[in-house]
Amino acid sequence: MRLLVTGGCGFIGSNFIRYWLKKYPDHQIVNLDKLTYAGHLSSTFDFSKQKNYRFVKGDICNRKLVNDLIKETDIVVHFAAESHVDRSILDPLVFVKTNVLGTQNLLDAALKHKIKRFHLVSTDEVFGELPLHGGKFTEQTPYNPRSPYAASKAAADHLARAYFYTYGLPVTITNTSNNYGPYQDTEKFIPRMITNLLTGENIKIYGDGKYVRDWLYVEDHVRAIDLVIKSGEEGETYLVGGSDREINNLEIAKIILRIMNLPDSKIQFVKDRPGHDRRYAIDSSKIRKQLNWEPLFSFDDYIAKTIDWYEKNRWWWEPIKKKSEKLYKKTMQI
Ligand code: NAD
Ligand code: TDX
């Protein structure tokens, strides 16, 4: 099998390739990545020399390049995106270019070359926010994106589904909750907290900190994508979420401080994100029932393992950390 993975130098994409090459050693993977601020060749160092792996630096919006690569592909697994909500508030245009036009470019090429499966990796943020107490997102929840990031991902989902209904392109979509784990960029919440503490800084909590996310260990997400590609039904969407319980941002900060043996005085409240979604929660019964997926990695164990990974892999995050904090200080004053 020949896979084209987009965004394989990012957080989830690099974890996906590492998992896939190990599980399917006779498959070929081409990783197309533009190496934006979020793409790191260092995230692929352990598999970059494998004979069945090839890296191509390029933009998913480049029609000729995408056509040339898809010509020799059976399955597209599409991760590449601008993925940071705070950045989308500062500069939405690049989100529309990559997340909407880039996806449409890939869909066109996939159709032209009659590929076997186009898997789009999407987010629960397309559904908008939930009240603090109440139900969860399901595959039937109407789309209601509230940030430019979420709106661009919603557009990509709609386009992918339209290519299935209109042209019969074999599309599947996973809408997943917040991932955490190794190789996540230091701009995102959990790695930002851990690396702030490892560099003697405070943890920065937006607003009142009572915002709830559904936290999923990245390998559980990657296993879900594997199952959907193998056994998911064409044209279908699967929601993937991991939380064994609901924890708000402030509680997560305190869990991390406890594990790192640091006092709660390291918590600093800063100004809130505009349009900050209050709560995300996922009902994953469809993928659990139909594909027998369930999360294997508990939050308590794997947050500790994630902290340990950042403690042991300073070589990976130290070179990128200064840039992330500069972005926060200069543009958001937080
Ligand atoms: P990331 O920001 O860590 O990585 C994105 C990767 O895409 C980077 O390597 C970047 O260089 C590449 N890229 C960006 N623009 C590109 C372009 N125009 N052409 C080619 N490559 C480009 O993102 P992530 O956290 O790994 O997320 C991967 C996917 O999963 C995204 O589609 C995101 O929307 C989705 N998702 C993420 C989460 C999460 O918690 N991180 C949750 C649900 C869904
Ligand atoms: O320093 C911080 N302090 C803070 O309180 C940061 C960086 C974040 N936060 C809050 C904002 C959110 O409530 O933590 C929560 C998580 O923030 P992010 O890591 O920016 O993630 P989020 O906005 O929830 O989006 C993530 O999950 C869904 C990913 O970045 C998206 O790509 C994915 O689609």
Side-chain angles (χ1 to χ4, degrees):
M1 205 59 84
R2 299 163 307 171
L3 273 73
L4 175 67
V5 174
T6 69
C9 296
F11 166 44
I12 308 173
S14 62
N15 277 286
F16 174 84
I17 296 175
R18 181 170 298 104
Y19 163 97
W20 200 274
L21 287 173
K22 203 167 162 197
K23 186 156 178 208
Y24 306 104
D26 53 334
H27 288 190
Q28 309 284 325
I29 293 190
V30 173
N31 170 12
L32 171 61
D33 196 298
K34 189 180 173 183
L35 295 181
T36 67
Y37 79 93
H40 311 295
L41 281 176
S42 55
S43 303
T44 67
F45 82 100
D46 53 326
F47 55 75
S48 61
K49 299 260 165 0
Q50 278 187 227
K51 283 206 181 75
N52 52 346
Y53 169 80
R54 182 160 72 97
F55 171 64
V56 177
K57 182 171 182 223
D59 193 325
I60 56 167
C61 298
N62 179 331
R63 268 188 109 68
K64 181 171 180 333
L65 175 65
V66 162
N67 251 294
D68 288 348
L69 294 175
I70 289 193
K71 217 182 280 173
E72 291 162 10
T73 297
D74 299 305
I75 297 173
V76 174
V77 193
H78 177 31
F79 294 93
E82 286 294 336
S83 74
H84 189 186
V85 174
D86 289 324
R87 279 183 183 255
S88 83
I89 295 166
L90 295 169
D91 180 15
L93 180 59
V94 67
F95 284 71
V96 175
K97 282 185 182 156
T98 288
N99 300 359
V100 186
L101 299 178
T103 301
Q104 195 259 335
N105 194 32
L106 287 162
L107 288 164
D108 264 354
L111 190 63
K112 185 169 166 195
H113 296 290
K114 299 188 173 56
I115 63 146
K116 294 193 175 86
R117 178 61 66 88
F118 186 101
H119 184 76
L120 173 62
V121 180
S122 190
T123 172
D124 58 0
E125 302 202 14
V126 297
F127 301 117
E129 69 170 357
L130 291 165
L132 263 188
H133 304 286
K136 298 182 173 190
F137 298 133
T138 71
E139 284 79 5
Q140 281 70 48
T141 304
Y143 276 37
N144 183 25
R146 291 164 28 97
S147 71
Y149 162 69
S152 67
K153 292 293 290 185
D157 290 10
H158 289 316
L159 279 169
R161 235 171 256 130
Y163 273 64
F164 168 74
Y165 288 117
T166 307
Y167 309 113
L169 185 72
V171 167
T172 44
I173 302 176
T174 39
N175 292 83
T176 310
S177 58
N178 287 58
N179 286 215
Y180 69 99
Y183 300 102
Q184 185 169 28
D185 198 277
T186 51
E187 283 188 6
K188 299 289 173 74
F189 183 48
I190 286 182
R192 186 181 186 206
M193 282 193 282
I194 300 169
T195 54
N196 272 15
L197 294 171
L198 290 174
T199 49
E201 287 286 324
N202 288 332
I203 280 175
K204 311 288 168 88
I205 294 290
Y206 296 177
D208 61 11
K210 290 179 188 154
Y211 292 91
V212 174
R213 300 293 182 260
D214 177 318
W215 292 98
L216 178 71
Y217 189 64
V218 62
E219 199 176 320
D220 274 329
H221 181 188
V222 161
R223 289 175 39 255
I225 296 172
D226 181 5
L227 273 177
V228 171
I229 290 172
K230 268 199 316 239
S231 318
E233 212 177 304
E234 290 172 13
E236 288 295 307
T237 289
Y238 299 85
L239 263 55
V240 188
S243 284
D244 30 24
R245 63 184 193 281
E246 297 206 0
I247 323 171
N248 70 34
N249 293 345
L250 195 53
E251 288 163 335
I252 295 182
K254 290 183 180 171
I255 291 172
I256 290 177
L257 286 166
R258 265 206 311 282
I259 297 171
M260 295 179 74
N261 216 7
L262 290 164
D264 284 2
S265 56
K266 298 293 283 181
I267 294 173
Q268 181 187 340
F269 289 92
V270 296
K271 74 168 187 236
D272 212 346
R273 171 187 283 175
H276 198 168
D277 289 339
R278 188 47 90 176
R279 171 173 167 260
Y280 306 140
I282 285 202
D283 175 348
S284 319
S285 356
K286 178 175 171 183
I287 189 168
R288 285 173 188 255
K289 279 193 200 129
Q290 291 187 9
L291 305 183
N292 258 331
W293 174 86
E294 58 173 359
L296 297 180
F297 305 103
S298 76
F299 185 78
D300 286 331
D301 290 346
Y302 280 81
I303 191 67
K305 282 199 200 302
T306 302
I307 294 170
D308 187 54
W309 188 87
Y310 281 90
E311 280 172 345
K312 290 188 174 133
N313 290 282
R314 282 176 172 268
W315 68 273
W316 182 83
W317 59 264
E318 273 179 347
I320 61 179
K321 176 71 183 163
K322 272 199 192 107
K323 244 207 257 168
S324 354
E325 286 312 304
K326 213 163 144 189
L327 173 89
Y328 280 115
K329 286 205 178 78
K330 269 204 154 168
T331 57
M332 295 171 239
Q333 291 85 46
I334 46 173

